[in-house]
Amino acid sequence: MSQYRTFTVADAVEYARQYGQMPDPQALVSADEIGDGNLNLVFKIRDRARISRVIVKQALPYVRCVGESWPLTLDRARIEAETLLIHGALCSHHTVRVLHHDPELAVMVQEDLSDHHIWRSELMKGHYYPQAVGQLAEYLAQTLFHTSDFYQAAQAKKAEVSRFTNPELCQITEDLFFTDPYHDHERNQFDDVLLPHVTVLRKDTALKLAVAGLKHRFLSKAEALLHGDIHSGSIFVAEGRLKAIDAEFGFYGPIGFDVGTALGNLLLNYCGLPGLLGPREATDCREQRLLDVRELWLTFAGRFLSLCQQHSRDVTLATPGYAEQFLQQVWQDAVGYGGTELIRRTIGLAHVADLDSIADPEMRAECQRSALNLGRTLIVNAAQVEHVDALLARIRQHG
Amino acid sequence: MSQYRTFTVADAVEYARQYGQMPDPQALVSADEIGDGNLNLVFKIRDRARISRVIVKQALPYVRCVGESWPLTLDRARIEAETLLIHGALCSHHTVRVLHHDPELAVMVQEDLSDHHIWRSELMKGHYYPQAVGQLAEYLAQTLFHTSDFYQAAQAKKAEVSRFTNPELCQITEDLFFTDPYHDHERNQFDDVLLPHVTVLRKDTALKLAVAGLKHRFLSKAEALLHGDIHSGSIFVAEGRLKAIDAEFGFYGPIGFDVGTALGNLLLNYCGLPGLLGPREATDCREQRLLDVRELWLTFAGRFLSLCQQHSRDVTLATPGYAEQFLQQVWQDAVGYGGTELIRRTIGLAHVADLDSIADPEMRAECQRSALNLGRTLIVNAAQVEHVDALLARIRQHG
């Protein structure tokens, strides 16, 4: 770690020249630091025409949005790069390309995706990318199947579980998803108007019991190498294209967590749309979001199942019918984890623009309450909602 | 590993003098190699009066009962010693005491238990130790609770999961418990008379589906630091005393696996008793075994629950009612894993004397068929057998 130093703009340009795999490295002449996330420095490295050509991302030894008082391991940069390299090998179309990484500098050079947009922003504007959901489902199925016990040899997988042990980043998830929102904690953030709702939620025994189960499974179920934070802000889209980025939360966890995070973000958008576009104008978009939820699950499950049927290497897990049975558990986990994403993004530390950027305070509060209600419904009923169509029926009924 | 050499009797004596923590080390003068297990050298180190004072156990770099053609990691000696040290710190009364260990030599010095008996032999003779089942339940509750997510901090537990990654020994379990018995594999061993029964079993879809789920959970559920092989031959008993030994299969796995292995061995004995003692003479002993099964589960569950209620450190898992809900899953896992132990000990590679030592071939086959049937019943009905009394009712009905 001795080699670590925080990059300046000049360092980033120099590093990109060296490791950016550019045919004309000297063309790289300037950089902007554009990290708007919570944790890292992100440099866009530009050529003389100010065109962004490559990205240099460096982890800081603390949580950027909080400051040096919250130190955070630099090892997350290694985990992010190694997760993306594995996911990229399994699903190159939909994983950002890592050109170089250095664990000691906690730095990674990755392809530039300036011709893409952050999916969340597009969803908020009501811009529809017809292939995005199917591509995300493909990404999830390929990466999760091939790192699962269906495909990986048991001994190799155990070594990978150790390699991707990610205690500090996992703890952030453990705290922010499963603990803080259900307790009075200083990290929580929400408007006073939600307090009565939050108070009811914290006394909800059925809800807290189900959340305990979800947290316990997050802590103990090493099913596959997850992205670990696959929300709509970790996904770039363009016409016919989709790329996952930001895999520093990568670890071996329950498959339903990745699927549920993705579903949860579609539903956060569903809840926010009336405030973002206006209640009437949002109708079609909201209906599309529900169809997206349906497509995401059905495409993921279909693809995962067909991979199991064609490529399972574990002779026992290949027993006909077992993959279907397992996917039913993944579905129930996904519904529950999706619910925790809805709740923690509404009243926890890290919010989403789908809700927070709603200008009208009353409308914002209404959308937030709707997210909390839907989150609770998902979590408490996860075991009973046996099929995605039953989920959609509940959501439509719920309003 | 360069330092490794296979111990001679003289080496073992010298080592015991050095590390046996004896007040009079020079009194140790001779040793017998008594390893009757499948994997290791075990030396009893004796004094001038030929009294055994201390045990030296060394791992061989291959499976002893097969030979050098099946190499096996020496790291299992480190894992065994470190598992026993942790279990000993958590439950000193019921864990064999480790006096010294050396990972490079793959050697461990442990307390002598010559005044104890192997529990399996006692169970086979119908000798009853009224405190043994309760003590085993206490051992399981203490070791499994304190290494679980209820008690261990998440970051510390993740480091422990890596430290106790035990791929080669786990693979033995994965193969011998969950794979071989359900396929035609050369490692399987059973009399021809069982072939029709085995053939039916291998075509049993419901059974194979349930076994796939059990294997998958064994591969992916890191709930606590298991003993990993807690059968009645890994347990020493004496009047009022019980000690677990042989923890080289230690790893972070599903709690129900340890509990189920223990239950399964009581039931193997239940199935073998008519052949060991005579059908009529066995009646009382068999009834006692069923009461043992009941006591083992109820004492374990009661103790685990009370530890959860008093000592849970994870504020989310401490939600009132969650431990009960979790224990219901442990119960269902335990019933299933118990069933796999019954089947693999009857038709797989490693058998038990409770069945194999029955002299009369017809009686032996009858007891073995009974073990297979009971094993199947447990595995297939695990999710439906909601309480230990329902299990006992099924067993009594089953014969």
Side-chain angles (χ1 to χ4, degrees):
Chain A
M1 219 64 85
S2 56
Q3 214 199 316
Y4 181 80
R5 64 186 194 282
T6 305
F7 271 17
T8 61
V9 164
D11 291 332
V13 172
E14 183 49 40
Y15 203 79
R17 285 180 178 167
Q18 206 170 343
Y19 296 111
Q21 299 182 17
M22 306 293 295
D24 50 347
Q26 295 313 314
L28 301 174
V29 294
S30 67
D32 298 320
E33 202 283 302
I34 54 150
D36 60 348
N38 301 322
L39 305 174
N40 307 295
L41 294 175
V42 181
F43 299 93
K44 267 191 150 158
I45 315 293
R46 301 184 189 276
D47 64 16
R48 288 195 181 80
R50 297 224 18 95
I51 295 173
S52 177
R53 302 283 296 274
V54 71
I55 300 293
V56 172
K57 177 173 177 179
Q58 187 181 39
L60 293 167
Y62 49 83
V63 178
R64 186 175 185 180
C65 64
V66 174
E68 302 195 15
S69 64
W70 186 346
L72 194 61
T73 176
L74 292 174
D75 188 44
R76 68 187 195 272
R78 175 191 67 80
I79 289 200
E80 170 168 24
E82 293 184 358
T83 300
L84 290 173
L85 285 168
I86 288 178
H87 283 192
L90 297 171
C91 189
S92 61
H93 287 326
H94 304 308
T95 310
V96 66
R97 196 163 155 238
V98 176
L99 304 169
H100 174 81
H101 78 106
D102 182 324
E104 289 198 28
L105 286 172
V107 76
M108 175 167 75
V109 185
Q110 63 184 38
E111 69 175 316
D112 179 80
L113 294 169
S114 298
D115 54 345
H116 290 61
H117 302 281
I118 291 288
W119 198 23
R120 187 184 304 287
S121 316
E122 300 300 288
L123 289 167
M124 286 170 57
K125 290 180 209 153
H127 294 177
Y128 180 54
Y129 291 77
Q131 295 183 53
V133 162
Q135 291 173 331
L136 177 56
E138 175 74 10
Y139 166 78
L140 291 170
Q142 292 289 355
T143 57
L144 298 172
F145 169 77
H146 285 103
T147 58
S148 78
D149 292 301
F150 287 93
Y151 186 76
Q152 274 200 103
Q155 295 202 20
K157 185 196 155 206
K158 286 178 179 72
E160 291 293 272
V161 169
S162 286
R163 175 156 77 112
F164 289 100
T165 296
N166 197 356
E168 292 191 28
L169 282 280
C170 281
Q171 170 136 24
I172 292 176
T173 303
E174 288 148 17
D175 290 344
L176 300 193
F177 269 74
F178 307 115
T179 309
D180 295 358
Y182 307 95
H183 295 89
D184 183 12
H185 195 288
E186 58 183 8
R187 278 190 296 244
N188 290 322
Q189 290 184 21
F190 53 86
D191 294 339
D192 286 347
V193 64
L194 289 182
L195 189 58
H197 224 80
V198 170
T199 307
V200 169
L201 201 116
R202 289 184 184 154
K203 291 181 182 153
D204 188 329
T205 312
L207 177 66
K208 292 175 81 166
L209 266 179
V211 170
L214 290 162
K215 181 175 186 183
H216 201 178
R217 296 200 284 285
F218 185 86
L219 287 163
S220 58
K221 249 167 110 174
E223 290 180 341
L225 177 58
L226 309 190
H227 178 284
D229 193 28
I230 189 75
H231 60 80
S232 51
S234 300
I235 295 168
F236 272 112
V237 291
E239 209 51 54
R241 287 177 288 165
L242 176 141
K243 296 266 189 188
I245 61 164
D246 282 355
E248 58 218 304
F249 285 83
F251 81 111
Y252 272 77
I255 290 176
F257 183 78
D258 263 9
V259 179
T261 302
L263 290 175
N265 276 270
L266 292 172
L267 291 172
L268 280 164
N269 182 261
Y270 170 84
C271 292
L273 280 172
L276 296 167
L277 304 182
R280 202 169 305 162
E281 296 80 352
T283 313
D284 290 351
C285 268
R286 296 189 92 203
E287 181 55 27
Q288 184 57 53
R289 238 16 28 88
L290 295 188
L291 296 179
D292 287 350
V293 164
R294 188 172 192 278
E295 186 189 347
L296 181 60
W297 172 255
L298 292 179
T299 307
F300 166 77
R303 202 74 187 87
F304 194 96
L305 183 59
S306 116
L307 288 167
C308 286
Q309 286 164 346
Q310 290 169 42
H311 301 292
S312 280
R313 289 186 184 164
D314 185 290
V315 64
T316 308
L317 303 197
T319 302
Y322 179 65
E324 289 87 337
Q325 189 177 300
F326 174 69
L327 277 165
Q328 190 58 28
Q329 290 172 33
V330 172
W331 166 248
Q332 290 173 359
D333 274 358
V335 172
Y337 286 121
T340 60
E341 174 75 348
L342 281 161
I343 288 179
R344 73 109 178 181
R345 292 293 198 178
T346 309
I347 60 170
L349 172 66
H351 287 213
V352 289
D354 310 62
L355 294 173
D356 276 28
S357 70
I358 298 169
D360 178 68
E362 270 185 48
M363 181 55 101
R364 185 170 66 242
E366 195 179 314
C367 291
Q368 287 171 331
R369 276 193 293 269
S370 142
L372 289 179
N373 284 334
L374 180 53
R376 183 199 180 273
T377 297
L378 298 189
I379 295 170
V380 171
N381 297 292
Q384 283 77 52
V385 181
E386 293 200 352
H387 189 272
V388 67
D389 288 323
L391 176 69
L392 297 195
R394 264 185 198 263
I395 296 175
R396 289 198 168 97
Q397 173 193 1
H398 156 282
Chain B
M1 219 61 84
S2 55
Q3 214 198 316
Y4 182 80
R5 64 188 192 279
T6 304
F7 271 17
T8 61
V9 164
D11 292 332
V13 172
E14 183 48 41
Y15 203 79
R17 284 180 179 168
Q18 208 171 343
Y19 296 111
Q21 300 182 17
M22 306 294 293
D24 50 346
Q26 296 311 314
L28 301 174
V29 294
S30 67
D32 298 321
E33 202 284 299
I34 54 149
D36 60 348
N38 300 322
L39 304 175
N40 307 294
L41 293 175
V42 181
F43 299 93
K44 264 189 155 163
I45 315 294
R46 301 184 190 275
D47 63 17
R48 287 195 181 78
R50 299 231 7 103
I51 296 171
S52 176
R53 302 283 297 273
V54 72
I55 300 293
V56 172
K57 178 172 177 180
Q58 186 181 39
L60 292 166
Y62 48 84
V63 178
R64 186 174 185 182
C65 63
V66 174
E68 303 194 15
S69 63
W70 186 346
L72 195 60
T73 176
L74 293 175
D75 188 45
R76 68 188 194 272
R78 174 191 67 81
I79 290 200
E80 170 169 26
E82 293 183 357
T83 300
L84 290 173
L85 285 168
I86 288 177
H87 283 192
L90 298 172
C91 190
S92 60
H93 286 327
H94 305 307
T95 309
V96 66
R97 198 165 153 234
V98 176
L99 305 168
H100 175 81
H101 78 106
D102 182 324
E104 290 198 27
L105 286 172
V107 76
M108 174 166 74
V109 186
Q110 64 183 38
E111 68 175 318
D112 179 80
L113 294 169
S114 298
D115 54 345
H116 290 61
H117 303 280
I118 291 287
W119 197 23
R120 187 184 306 285
S121 315
E122 300 300 288
L123 289 167
M124 285 170 59
K125 290 178 208 153
H127 294 177
Y128 180 54
Y129 291 76
Q131 296 182 53
V133 163
Q135 292 173 332
L136 176 56
E138 175 75 10
Y139 166 78
L140 292 169
Q142 292 288 354
T143 57
L144 298 172
F145 168 77
H146 285 102
T147 57
S148 77
D149 293 301
F150 287 93
Y151 186 77
Q152 273 201 104
Q155 296 202 19
K157 186 196 155 204
K158 286 178 177 72
E160 290 293 271
V161 169
S162 286
R163 175 155 77 110
F164 289 100
T165 297
N166 197 355
E168 293 192 29
L169 281 282
C170 280
Q171 170 135 25
I172 293 177
T173 302
E174 288 148 18
D175 291 344
L176 300 193
F177 270 74
F178 307 115
T179 310
D180 294 357
Y182 308 94
H183 294 90
D184 184 11
H185 195 288
E186 59 182 6
R187 277 190 296 243
N188 290 323
Q189 290 185 20
F190 53 86
D191 293 339
D192 287 346
V193 63
L194 289 182
L195 190 58
H197 224 79
V198 170
T199 308
V200 169
L201 202 117
R202 289 185 184 154
K203 291 180 182 154
D204 188 329
T205 311
L207 178 66
K208 293 175 81 167
L209 265 178
V211 170
L214 290 163
K215 182 176 186 183
H216 200 177
R217 295 200 285 285
F218 185 87
L219 287 163
S220 59
K221 246 168 112 173
E223 291 180 341
L225 177 59
L226 308 189
H227 177 285
D229 193 28
I230 189 76
H231 60 80
S232 51
S234 299
I235 295 168
F236 272 112
V237 290
E239 208 52 52
R241 287 177 288 165
L242 176 142
K243 297 267 187 187
I245 61 165
D246 282 356
E248 58 219 304
F249 284 82
F251 81 111
Y252 272 78
I255 289 175
F257 183 79
D258 262 9
V259 179
T261 302
L263 291 174
N265 276 271
L266 292 172
L267 292 171
L268 280 163
N269 182 261
Y270 170 84
C271 291
L273 281 171
L276 295 167
L277 304 182
R280 201 169 306 162
E281 296 79 353
T283 313
D284 290 350
C285 268
R286 297 188 92 203
E287 181 56 27
Q288 184 58 53
R289 241 11 32 87
L290 295 188
L291 296 179
D292 288 350
V293 164
R294 187 171 194 279
E295 186 190 347
L296 181 60
W297 172 255
L298 292 179
T299 307
F300 166 78
R303 202 75 188 87
F304 193 97
L305 183 59
S306 115
L307 288 168
C308 286
Q309 287 164 344
Q310 290 169 42
H311 301 292
S312 281
R313 289 185 185 164
D314 185 289
V315 63
T316 308
L317 302 197
T319 303
Y322 179 66
E324 290 87 336
Q325 189 177 299
F326 174 67
L327 277 165
Q328 191 57 30
Q329 289 173 33
V330 172
W331 166 248
Q332 290 173 1
D333 275 358
V335 172
Y337 287 120
T340 60
E341 174 74 348
L342 282 161
I343 289 179
R344 74 110 177 180
R345 292 293 198 177
T346 309
I347 61 171
L349 172 66
H351 286 213
V352 288
D354 311 62
L355 295 172
D356 276 27
S357 70
I358 298 169
D360 179 68
E362 272 185 45
M363 181 54 100
R364 186 169 65 242
E366 196 178 313
C367 292
Q368 287 171 330
R369 276 193 292 268
S370 142
L372 290 179
N373 285 333
L374 180 54
R376 183 198 180 274
T377 298
L378 297 189
I379 295 170
V380 172
N381 297 291
Q384 284 78 52
V385 181
E386 293 201 351
H387 188 273
V388 66
D389 288 323
L391 176 69
L392 297 196
R394 265 186 197 263
I395 296 175
R396 290 199 168 96
Q397 172 193 2
H398 156 280

